[in-house]
Amino acid sequence: MNPTHLPQGPAVRYEGDVLFVEDVRVADLAREHGTPLFVYSRAAMLAALSAYQRGFAGRKARVFYALKANSSLAILQLFARAGCGFDIVSGGELERVLAAGAQPADIIFSGVGKTRHEMRRALELGIHCFNVESEPELEVLNAVATGLGVRAPVSLRVNPDVNPLTHPYISTGLKGSKFGIAHKDALRAYRQAAALPGLRVVGIDCHIGSQITNVTPYLDAMDRMLDLVTAIEAAGIPIAHIDFGGGLGIVYNDEQPPAADALWQRLLAKLDARGFGDRQLLVEPGRSLVGNAGICVTEVLYLKPGEQKNFCIIDAAMNDLPRPAMYEAFHQIVPVQRRAGAAMVCDVVGPVCESGDWIGRDRALSAQAGDLLAVLSAGAYCMSMASNYNSRGRAAEVLVDGSQVHVIRERESIEDQLRNETLLP
Ligand code: LLP
């Protein structure tokens, strides 16, 4: 692919041979803040959000950002200020969104394994809704709520059993999945929820998978969900909101996902046709709000030609960018300064002592040691999944806004890494 046509939209682009994020030269950022460095575009995040907002214009609908995609505080603050609610999956994410300025009423709590402690904290705060994923969880939430003398607002996550046509590790709505309540058991679970004194049924939700690039699975899931809403309401249990989860894919390479507004045009037409157009709608996008708003800047440490393969060893690794190792995911890798010269086909790999520590395979690059590269589409599920493997500190992060640069996370120091550990007496 010609690197002039970057997958990320206008915020990340070349001017001549020089890579920019908004109005800032990426090379300047690397010089100032070091590498590996995550660089995000504020404008790209807000543009991604406004595609949803355009799609929902005139509807009773709300975006709850799924912060597992990128939970850095400044990014949460940006989305809170732009009017988003948040979809959390742990007590840690709960405290994070509160620290970023979110209100409890703007939080929904998903996840298959909520603890009593997490439930209690969320109930005391008064969050918007619990997305409950099993019948035993209903019982536990009921007990915790009753103990506090409150009623927990619940939506049941239903498994619509449609194939999202994505990587098996990020498919969640199929029968064999640990997520959600089976479609055939949903009515029974709703009856159970409605009968428990500590619960108040407010909605229904689904999430069928991630990096979905096709409209059909969404349309199928919506049909399955609306069938259920009809049956549940016929049983005398009103459903105030319908939550369609997240999952919309982005362009990493040559995918062609629908834009959020185009997707929702199709889905809203179906909702209208089936007579549900005036319902309160929720969505929980993660990747599609941040994925293409970020890059990871890294320095080439060594070129290592080999008999069977050439390697380009960079200073970012699987601890910073875990998606290739975990899902064999593809991220474009481009030079920060394009140079003339013959390209070498190589595997781009990190310093971690694992064969799985590769970031790109068989890439044609004309790079030399000391050059800077940018790993694209690195705004989602990179920093939020980063680890300290090999005692590597987590990277720094900056947010670019026009020509302004905000450091939103300092590079993690070795003192940071050692803080919670103690030697034996
Ligand atoms: N809601 C629920 C209940 C979810 O489980 C997820 C993602 C989302 C919303 C947001 O989905 P998104 O819009 O980001 O697709 N680490 C993997 C992706 C895991 C997705 C987990 N659940 C990756 O890097 O591809």
Side-chain angles (χ1 to χ4, degrees):
M1 187 168 187
N2 179 345
T4 306
H5 303 293
L6 300 179
Q8 309 203 233
V12 181
R13 65 181 188 286
Y14 282 105
E15 283 185 19
D17 289 330
V18 178
L19 190 69
F20 277 74
V21 171
E22 299 199 21
D23 301 334
V24 179
R25 281 188 179 78
V26 172
D28 291 346
L29 292 171
R31 196 171 313 119
E32 172 101 19
H33 304 286
T35 55
L37 177 70
F38 284 92
V39 181
Y40 304 112
S41 157
R42 176 179 183 273
M45 291 186 191
L46 293 181
L49 175 62
S50 60
Y52 280 94
Q53 290 169 332
R54 264 197 313 279
F56 289 138
R59 302 283 180 154
K60 289 186 284 180
R62 182 134 194 238
V63 174
F64 287 77
Y65 169 53
L67 61 141
K68 59 173 76 73
N70 188 320
S71 51
S72 298
L73 278 184
I75 291 173
L76 304 181
Q77 182 188 32
L78 181 74
F79 284 122
R81 286 180 178 169
C84 286
F86 295 95
D87 173 43
I88 63 164
V89 289
S90 72
E93 287 194 347
L94 176 56
E95 301 308 330
R96 240 175 209 284
V97 290
L98 295 173
Q103 297 303 311
D106 297 328
I107 297 170
I108 56 180
F109 197 163
S110 300
V112 290
K114 302 175 195 77
T115 66
R116 283 168 194 265
H117 177 76
E118 289 171 326
M119 290 173 176
R120 196 172 305 117
R121 172 83 174 129
L123 282 169
E124 282 166 354
L125 287 162
I127 66 163
H128 185 66
C129 176
F130 290 83
N131 288 343
V132 173
E133 302 223 13
S134 65
E135 293 171 72
E137 185 190 339
L138 282 175
E139 298 287 348
V140 172
L141 183 59
N142 175 61
V144 176
T146 312
L148 290 172
V150 297
R151 292 181 79 187
V154 298
S155 160
L156 301 199
R157 176 168 173 184
V158 170
N159 196 334
D161 195 24
V162 300
N163 189 342
L165 310 172
T166 185
H167 190 287
Y169 280 16
I170 50 179
S171 294
T172 49
L174 282 166
K175 262 184 195 151
S177 155
K178 74 172 178 180
F179 298 101
I181 294 170
H183 195 272
K184 66 172 181 41
D185 300 332
L187 185 56
R188 184 182 73 210
Y190 268 97
R191 286 207 166 98
Q192 180 192 359
L196 289 168
L199 305 184
R200 179 164 52 88
V201 172
V202 295
I204 187 165
D205 75 287
C206 73
H207 171 80
I208 55 174
S210 197
Q211 185 54 16
I212 301 168
T213 53
N214 202 309
V215 180
T216 312
Y218 277 107
L219 289 167
D220 292 349
M222 179 173 274
D223 265 328
R224 304 268 294 160
M225 294 284 282
L226 297 182
D227 293 347
L228 268 180
V229 175
T230 306
I232 295 161
E233 293 195 329
I237 305 167
I239 299 294
H241 78 237
I242 310 179
D243 176 348
F244 289 102
L248 179 57
I250 62 169
V251 182
Y252 286 100
N253 189 18
D254 52 8
E255 303 87 344
Q256 295 183 317
D261 47 346
L263 170 68
W264 276 95
Q265 207 177 7
R266 299 278 304 275
L267 289 171
L268 289 168
K270 180 180 275 292
L271 272 179
D272 289 343
R274 293 201 48 178
F276 290 93
D278 61 343
R279 291 301 167 109
Q280 175 76 39
L281 304 177
L282 273 54
V283 284
E284 306 166 356
R287 186 192 321 265
S288 53
L289 293 183
V290 292
N292 274 339
I295 64 174
C296 180
V297 188
T298 173
E299 185 183 319
V300 176
L301 298 176
Y302 301 100
L303 293 182
K304 185 173 175 184
E307 234 167 72
Q308 295 192 341
K309 277 212 170 239
N310 301 314
F311 293 98
C312 172
I313 302 170
I314 60 175
D315 68 355
M318 64 189 287
N319 72 300
D320 307 296
L321 296 160
R323 303 192 66 257
M326 284 187 75
Y327 321 110
E328 300 194 38
F330 180 95
H331 287 262
Q332 278 199 43
I333 304 171
V334 302
V336 165
Q337 165 81 53
R338 286 193 288 200
R339 60 159 78 239
M344 174 176 88
V345 174
C346 56
D347 280 10
V348 179
V349 301
V352 163
C353 297
E354 296 259 1
S355 300
D357 181 27
W358 58 275
I359 307 298
R361 282 186 170 145
D362 298 322
R363 303 300 175 88
L365 287 173
S366 60
Q368 295 178 3
D371 283 0
L372 296 169
L373 299 175
V375 179
L376 303 186
S377 310
Y381 302 113
C382 293
M383 181 49 103
S384 62
M385 292 172 65
S387 78
N388 289 125
Y389 189 37
N390 280 202
S391 290
R392 291 169 50 88
R394 285 185 183 76
E397 294 177 296
V398 298
L399 182 79
V400 175
D401 176 12
S403 56
Q404 269 191 308
V405 180
H406 303 280
V407 176
I408 62 167
R409 184 193 299 264
E410 301 285 350
R411 188 171 302 286
E412 197 174 20
S413 67
I414 189 63
E415 290 75 25
D416 294 331
Q417 284 194 62
L418 299 184
R419 183 161 303 129
N420 291 333
E421 298 182 46
T422 38
L423 293 168
L424 296 172

